[in-house]
Amino acid sequence: VTESVLYSRPDWNHDEEFVDILEDRRHSSDLGHALRTFNPQPYQGGQPCSAAELTKTVLESQHLCYVIALETGSSIEEVTEEARRTLDEMSQNLQLGFIRLMSFTLTKVFKKLFSSIFVNMDTLSTLQQSIQQTPVILMPNHRSYVDFLVISYIMFSYDLPIPVIAAGIPLAGMKMVGEILRRSGAFFIRRAIGSDKLYWAVLSEYVKTIVRKGHAPLEFYVEGLRSRTLKSITPKLGMMHMVLEPYLKGQVFDITLVPVSISYDRVLEESLLSHELLGVPKPKESTTGLLKASSVLQDSYGAMHVNFGHPLSVRELLKGKINRCQYNFVPRSKDLPQKPSAEVQACVSWLAHVVVGTQEQGSVISPWSLMTCLLLQAPITVLTVEGFPWHQLTEKTLWLKRLVLNYGVRLNWSDVMSSSLTLHRSVVQRKADRVYLVREKNEPRRRPVSEEASVTATAKSVLMLAAYRNQSMHVFVRPALLAVALNITRNELFAFFCFLQSLFSYEFIFIPGMQFEDACLLLKKCGAIRINSDEVIVSDSGQEILSFHQSLIQPFIDSYQVTFSSLSEQEPDVFTDKQFLPAVRNLATRLLLSGEIHTYEALSSDTQKNSLSALQRLEAVRKLRAEYKVDKAAVKHLADRLCKSHQ
């Protein structure tokens, strides 16, 4: 740390020390860094566990033997051999030599891609202590493929044990690269497991054995998938259940969860993300594709911030929330598979939401994210034809900066706003002191571009802007919902806020608790409202703040209304997954062309899927085996209620 350039921000209200870990790498030997002495301090001073020892322990576990004995139609020998093959496909084979190779390669790549990689050193030192005392679970957010690499790079750079990382099985199929990742600590999980009980048992026992032994931190993404919208995804609970089970069954005294917030000035996959949201299939992971993507090394992606959150003790978090005695009623229950009780499932879900919420709190907001909040509130004709006045954008961004600092948010204000435009020149450009949206260029063709293709081209650019706005949506969403609810009569304020929160529960992360009170506190803190005798009153100077928040949430309201309209028109009232997205996308395109809506985000497949999940939660849509059934009266009721926000 003393040899690095310390990073501090006078704009931050967090007394923390950040270090640019690339600064030393730019002035010293990359090979020397990769070959230096690596001396991590493991859990309770234990010795590393080899891949062969780990496999042997899993195969001999009572849990797996019990599941194998239950399998019918095959001999125990055949089932055992299948379990062994599954482990061979899955298991990591961490080797220091390959970590050194990755370190050397990544140093070269990171210096090309990023101006800086800032790391919170205060919490990194706390992480070292946690690793020696309890099994540690690293839980980063997932916004880019770089997430997979940067954590291990930092751990190696600071003599921390290299984590074993849960990764998707397609990565294992990449020639050479898959094996390098395996030997760098990755273990590979099939995306579609379904009802394969043996695979579930092998994976579960593999993960739990890693946690029990604690020989290396375990890293996985609680969101499950890489976020294509750059905002948090509703947590997936499968892996979360697996890593917590050793604690719930009393096999370890405690487990430490470490949320990790990774923030990017610009993500490598920004164009790919918007294409995927518009229905373009994601390219298959392959070594050839990776080599073709080497052109990204010629571009700049600004700074990355990696903030290791303060360690969370599972024992402390679950104290008084769960009764672990249920696992001790049967003498052998600690070793045999059990279906989690409703109490356990609720606690695991709550804990997963706490982790994601902590990731959001630890993220670093850039000027560009605030600028996109403002740009997206302008009519599309302003962005594409007239241009957004530069002086107005800078003034409003500085106003917004003061607002978010008042909210207690981490800001990275190292670059002036003009530098942000330069970094994101693929999305916007500045001409004659006006800012214009850059639309994707169509290839030369004989026939004129159709109206639908023109809508799609504009949508690709708008969705790229929206992705960067989404990086700060967690800051604004609660006061934004309250600002919308304030359009309704005061007697219904709390009820309408709760309705909006429930409706958008798949769109944003809400930790169960005092969301309404938090929203009131934030708007009161910035002077937008006053609270007298439990009555919320808009202050004389608060309308500008409320209007900003209302406009910020409006694209989501409009997008959900498009889904509601599509399902109301659905004939018959039963549809499949394959029918849903094209139907909503076609309706959104028609409405955009007719001028009935102006929200290009209504074309986003993630928003459409989230609205469908919300309708299921609110019992307006029912999932059958392979189909969905619509209750049109319930959908219309929700649509009418949401329409009140426009009044």
Side-chain angles (χ1 to χ4, degrees):
V1 176
T2 56
E3 297 174 357
S4 302
V5 175
L6 293 184
Y7 171 63
S8 62
R9 293 283 183 247
D11 292 321
W12 289 13
N13 57 354
H14 298 263
D15 185 20
E16 296 169 333
E17 178 184 77
F18 278 70
V19 171
D20 176 10
I21 64 172
L22 290 185
E23 183 65 22
D24 281 350
R25 302 285 69 75
R26 297 189 192 280
H27 301 95
S28 59
S29 166
D30 297 339
L31 184 60
H33 177 258
L35 296 178
R36 67 184 178 79
T37 301
F38 179 60
N39 186 31
Q41 300 300 312
Y43 169 56
Q44 295 184 350
Q47 294 299 313
C49 178
S50 70
E53 291 172 333
L54 188 59
T55 297
K56 183 174 182 292
T57 302
V58 172
L59 286 173
E60 293 177 352
S61 70
Q62 191 173 14
H63 178 136
L64 193 55
C65 290
Y66 179 81
V67 172
I68 289 173
L70 289 179
E71 287 291 308
T72 58
S74 302
S75 66
I76 290 181
E77 291 76 13
E78 290 174 325
V79 177
T80 303
E81 185 56 33
E82 184 181 348
R84 188 184 300 278
R85 287 195 300 269
T86 298
L87 276 170
D88 289 341
E89 172 193 83
M90 178 189 301
S91 61
Q92 55 83 20
N93 187 17
L94 184 61
Q95 296 177 12
L96 182 57
F98 280 83
I99 294 297
R100 296 189 185 280
L101 172 63
M102 287 289 282
S103 174
F104 178 75
T105 304
L106 290 178
T107 299
K108 299 289 187 187
V109 171
F110 287 160
K111 286 194 296 185
K112 278 277 190 180
L113 292 175
F114 300 105
S115 58
S116 308
I117 297 179
F118 293 114
V119 180
N120 186 334
M121 298 308 300
D122 293 331
T123 48
L124 197 63
S125 60
T126 306
L127 173 61
Q128 171 68 82
Q129 299 171 15
S130 298
I131 288 174
Q132 296 176 47
Q133 296 168 358
T134 65
V136 165
I137 313 298
L138 296 171
M139 304 177 72
N141 54 5
H142 199 11
R143 304 293 177 266
S144 169
Y145 287 120
V146 178
D147 304 337
F148 184 85
L149 306 168
V150 71
I151 301 294
S152 295
Y153 181 77
I154 294 170
M155 302 287 273
F156 175 76
S157 297
Y158 289 94
D159 273 358
L160 295 169
I162 305 300
V164 292
I165 310 164
I169 195 67
L171 293 175
M174 298 173 66
K175 292 182 180 178
M176 293 180 60
V177 174
E179 189 57 31
I180 291 174
L181 293 175
R182 189 187 298 275
R183 298 192 184 201
S184 299
F187 66 94
F188 301 100
I189 303 173
R190 296 175 192 170
R191 287 179 176 168
I193 301 174
S195 58
D196 189 337
K197 293 182 181 179
L198 181 62
Y199 190 90
W200 273 112
V202 172
L203 172 60
S204 175
E205 190 60 26
Y206 186 79
V207 169
K208 290 184 290 185
T209 302
I210 292 171
V211 175
R212 286 195 299 265
K213 285 184 170 293
H215 72 280
L218 174 66
E219 178 183 333
F220 78 96
Y221 303 109
V222 69
E223 297 169 285
L225 301 172
R226 177 173 53 96
S227 172
R228 299 184 298 182
T229 59
L230 299 190
K231 61 182 174 61
S232 299
I233 302 174
T234 302
K236 306 297 187 293
L237 303 181
M239 281 286 288
M240 197 73 178
H241 275 287
M242 293 178 199
V243 300
L244 293 177
E245 192 171 307
Y247 169 75
L248 296 175
K249 291 188 173 183
Q251 295 166 337
V252 295
F253 180 76
D254 196 5
I255 293 173
T256 299
L257 308 180
V258 181
V260 186
S261 308
I262 307 176
S263 309
Y264 296 90
D265 283 354
R266 181 186 174 197
V267 294
L268 275 69
E269 305 92 338
E270 61 181 9
S271 177
L272 177 63
L273 298 179
S274 63
H275 282 73
E276 289 180 34
L277 290 173
L278 292 169
V280 178
K282 186 181 75 169
K284 183 180 179 181
E285 290 94 342
S286 67
T287 305
T288 303
L290 181 63
L291 294 174
K292 288 181 179 178
S294 60
S295 59
V296 300
L297 295 175
Q298 308 308 314
D299 214 340
S300 174
Y301 293 86
M304 181 200 308
H305 291 77
V306 183
N307 186 11
F308 289 85
H310 290 283
L312 304 175
S313 163
V314 171
R315 189 177 187 86
E316 289 297 320
L317 286 168
L318 295 186
K319 185 180 294 183
K321 289 183 177 292
I322 195 166
N323 180 10
R324 292 192 293 162
C325 293
Q326 59 189 284
Y327 290 101
N328 299 319
F329 290 152
V330 181
R332 297 172 61 206
S333 64
K334 289 186 178 182
D335 299 312
L336 302 184
Q338 288 177 258
K339 183 178 179 180
S341 65
E343 176 194 36
V344 169
Q345 292 183 51
C347 277
V348 171
S349 177
W350 172 78
L351 201 51
H353 279 76
V354 167
V355 168
V356 177
T358 307
Q359 291 171 349
E360 290 181 334
Q361 293 172 6
S363 64
V364 177
I365 306 300
S366 68
W368 175 241
S369 184
L370 300 184
M371 293 164 75
T372 53
C373 288
L374 298 165
L375 288 170
L376 284 167
Q377 295 186 17
I380 195 65
T381 53
V382 170
L383 296 179
T384 56
V385 180
E386 303 167 19
F388 196 110
W390 171 247
H391 71 88
Q392 183 180 339
L393 181 59
T394 54
E395 288 174 5
K396 291 290 289 183
T397 303
L398 290 173
W399 169 82
L400 195 50
K401 173 190 175 184
R402 292 191 292 271
L403 178 65
V404 297
L405 285 175
N406 205 17
Y407 282 176
V409 171
R410 290 179 173 84
L411 277 179
N412 165 30
W413 213 263
S414 57
D415 296 324
V416 292
M417 285 175 275
S418 56
S419 298
S420 294
L421 286 191
T422 302
L423 185 65
H424 294 279
R425 59 188 176 275
S426 61
V427 191
V428 294
Q429 58 182 346
R430 181 180 170 187
K431 293 181 182 178
D433 281 336
R434 287 182 176 270
V435 178
Y436 296 85
L437 187 69
V438 176
R439 296 206 317 163
E440 186 177 80
K441 294 180 180 179
N442 294 297
E443 296 180 2
R445 57 183 71 190
R446 295 178 182 177
R447 297 181 180 180
V449 177
S450 66
E451 289 182 322
E452 290 78 8
S454 179
V455 167
T456 300
T458 301
K460 288 175 182 175
S461 300
V462 170
L463 289 177
M464 287 170 68
L465 279 183
Y468 289 105
R469 177 211 58 201
N470 288 340
Q471 289 183 317
S472 57
M473 276 302 297
H474 66 277
V475 176
F476 301 112
V477 64
R478 291 158 187 79
L481 296 186
L482 180 56
V484 170
L486 281 165
N487 283 337
I488 313 303
T489 58
R490 298 298 184 265
N491 291 336
E492 298 180 17
L493 184 60
F494 178 71
F496 197 78
F497 179 92
C498 293
F499 163 68
L500 291 173
Q501 181 181 324
S502 180
L503 185 65
F504 293 122
S505 59
Y506 291 93
E507 202 70 52
F508 307 104
I509 299 300
F510 298 108
I511 302 172
M514 302 172 69
Q515 302 295 328
F516 180 77
E517 290 80 359
D518 290 344
C520 289
L521 181 63
L522 288 173
L523 288 181
K524 181 182 177 183
K525 188 176 180 181
C526 65
I529 62 172
R530 292 180 288 110
I531 301 177
N532 293 332
S533 302
D534 294 331
E535 183 182 5
V536 178
I537 303 170
V538 178
S539 66
D540 295 337
S541 59
Q543 195 54 53
E544 182 182 16
I545 294 173
L546 293 178
S547 295
F548 164 77
H549 285 88
Q550 290 163 359
S551 298
L552 198 62
I553 205 73
Q554 197 62 49
F556 298 94
I557 294 175
D558 293 343
S559 298
Y560 275 48
Q561 288 285 29
V562 172
T563 299
F564 297 167
S565 297
S566 176
L567 293 180
S568 297
E569 297 174 3
Q570 187 81 36
E571 290 295 345
D573 57 0
V574 173
F575 64 93
T576 64
D577 277 317
K578 290 185 177 180
Q579 293 171 329
F580 172 69
L581 291 179
V584 179
R585 187 174 292 122
N586 290 339
L587 176 60
T589 301
R590 293 201 311 270
L591 295 174
L592 285 164
L593 287 171
S594 67
E596 294 179 63
I597 66 169
H598 305 281
T599 303
Y600 284 80
E601 292 175 62
L603 293 167
S604 166
S605 60
D606 275 28
T607 303
Q608 294 159 3
K609 291 174 184 177
N610 289 339
S611 61
L612 179 61
S613 296
L615 288 173
Q616 290 178 255
R617 177 183 179 133
L618 296 171
E619 300 181 347
V621 171
R622 188 158 51 93
K623 179 72 181 289
L624 307 176
R625 287 189 176 181
E627 297 175 322
Y628 298 87
K629 184 174 178 60
V630 183
D631 182 340
K632 292 187 178 181
V635 171
K636 186 177 185 306
H637 172 72
L638 292 172
D640 290 343
R641 193 172 184 192
L642 193 57
C643 275
K644 289 184 179 181
S645 61
H646 296 280
Q647 297 175 358

